[in-house]
Amino acid sequence: MTAARSRPGALLALAFAALLLGGSKPLAAQDASEVRARWETGPVKTGWCVYFLMEPGKAAEDLARGHETVGVLQTEGWHPALRRLAESDATYANWVPSRVCQILFDTIWVGSRRYVEGTRRSPVGLGFWEVAARPSQGDGGVFGVARILATNSGDLKRRMETEFVPLSMARLTSGPIPDSRDERFEVELDRTTVTFDGHPVADSTLDAVELRHRFVVQGERLMLWTVELQIAPERMALFSGGLRFVGKGALAKAMSRSPIRIVGPVFSGGRAVVTFTR
């Protein structure tokens, strides 16, 4: 891990990397599991996440079997603003960290098959909504359980269905806003649209660090899948802008109840490997 170029950027870069690296050993039997699918990607177009807190009861709904949620004060590596809020207001001490993420790629290869385009001619991508969780029994550590795992490519979704990997469809887009210095990042899943319009903060460019993360998602017939992301971005920066969301799904309701919603660093460049095991 390399040092960041600015002090605020250093703190957030370390927190962001810790979030992804902190989930690197959720299951003791991970190494013995069978890799059923593997993505190798071209350059990352853009990646970003929005972090928030969920009420414990709501976070536990529809959770993958054999897992339980974890309160923010029992976790490490999630966006530091979540912990600061819980430490300053005991009302939220047991609330559960959650995040929605979008990663767009130039290309995704699954074996010899190449995928380059999602809906509305956007780059092919991966989106997910997860909560902090751990196995109900044993010492598997705190990591994440995805409530939704999605792509914006119908062809890629159908390819993964042959392995029973539970991918939903989502709209994932990013790009410049005409006549503005801002870029627009948008995720639409679970009947919810999350939009962030922003631009890099001056002097907030970070030295890129390798990002690794594992989370669990439950598929058909209650099968549990472990998804592992390994990303080596070339650029990371803090962005300033406005976040908004609309919709009637569980995601919109969860975000509206949260006392905090904050966007983490935006990253791009480099390549990624995503594996799916069970």
Side-chain angles (χ1 to χ4, degrees):
M1 186 180 297
T2 53
R5 299 190 184 109
S6 64
R7 182 171 179 77
L11 294 175
L12 273 178
L14 290 172
F16 184 56
L19 165 59
L20 296 176
L21 290 166
S24 61
K25 56 169 188 175
L27 298 175
Q30 171 68 20
D31 293 339
S33 300
E34 180 182 359
V35 175
R36 301 300 299 268
R38 175 185 173 94
W39 297 359
E40 296 186 4
T41 81
V44 175
K45 291 284 192 179
T46 187
W48 69 289
C49 299
V50 56
Y51 301 84
F52 56 100
L53 291 174
M54 289 186 67
E55 297 165 286
K58 293 296 182 181
E61 291 179 357
D62 302 319
L63 199 67
R65 63 179 174 85
H67 293 81
E68 61 185 16
T69 58
V70 182
V72 61
L73 294 182
Q74 301 177 57
T75 64
E76 295 182 358
W78 291 76
H79 199 293
L82 304 183
R83 174 177 282 271
R84 286 198 297 268
L85 174 64
E87 289 175 339
S88 65
D89 188 341
T91 302
Y92 304 109
N94 293 322
W95 284 46
V96 179
S98 184
R99 65 174 181 162
V100 174
C101 297
Q102 168 193 285
I103 310 171
L104 297 176
F105 305 99
D106 174 80
T107 307
I108 292 177
W109 288 91
V110 183
S112 60
R113 182 71 184 272
R114 179 171 177 256
Y115 302 87
V116 297
E117 192 171 270
T119 55
R120 303 190 183 184
R121 296 192 173 184
S122 62
V124 64
L126 177 70
F128 54 91
W129 171 23
E130 70 172 323
V131 298
R134 63 188 172 202
S136 302
Q137 298 181 353
D139 183 19
V142 177
F143 55 106
V145 168
R147 297 175 66 91
I148 298 176
L149 178 65
T151 182
N152 59 350
S153 167
D155 288 342
L156 179 57
K157 179 181 183 296
R158 285 186 288 273
R159 169 64 180 82
M160 299 303 289
E161 284 175 346
T162 65
E163 297 291 349
F164 302 101
V165 175
L167 278 184
S168 301
M169 283 296 296
R171 184 170 63 85
L172 311 170
T173 60
S174 70
I177 299 174
D179 302 318
S180 172
R181 63 174 178 167
D182 285 350
E183 298 178 55
R184 174 162 294 169
F185 307 90
E186 198 160 72
V187 178
E188 183 179 320
L189 74 169
D190 186 51
R191 295 184 298 148
T192 302
T193 301
V194 182
T195 305
F196 175 62
D197 294 341
H199 55 272
V201 176
D203 300 322
S204 74
T205 300
L206 315 174
D207 283 351
V209 295
E210 183 182 27
L211 308 176
R212 303 184 67 180
H213 181 50
R214 288 180 184 171
F215 57 83
V216 165
V217 62
Q218 184 170 286
E220 295 182 11
R221 293 179 284 186
L222 300 181
M223 287 189 295
L224 292 181
W225 290 86
T226 298
V227 183
E228 180 171 359
L229 292 79
Q230 300 181 51
I231 308 172
E234 296 175 345
R235 295 172 294 278
M236 294 178 67
L238 306 181
F239 271 52
S240 175
L243 177 72
R244 62 185 185 276
F245 57 93
V246 295
K248 297 182 179 180
L251 174 57
K253 294 175 182 177
M255 293 184 69
S256 67
R257 294 187 182 107
S258 176
I260 182 173
R261 295 171 289 273
I262 188 165
V263 175
V266 176
F267 59 93
S268 60
R271 298 174 186 269
V273 173
V274 186
T275 57
F276 303 81
T277 65
R278 65 175 176 86

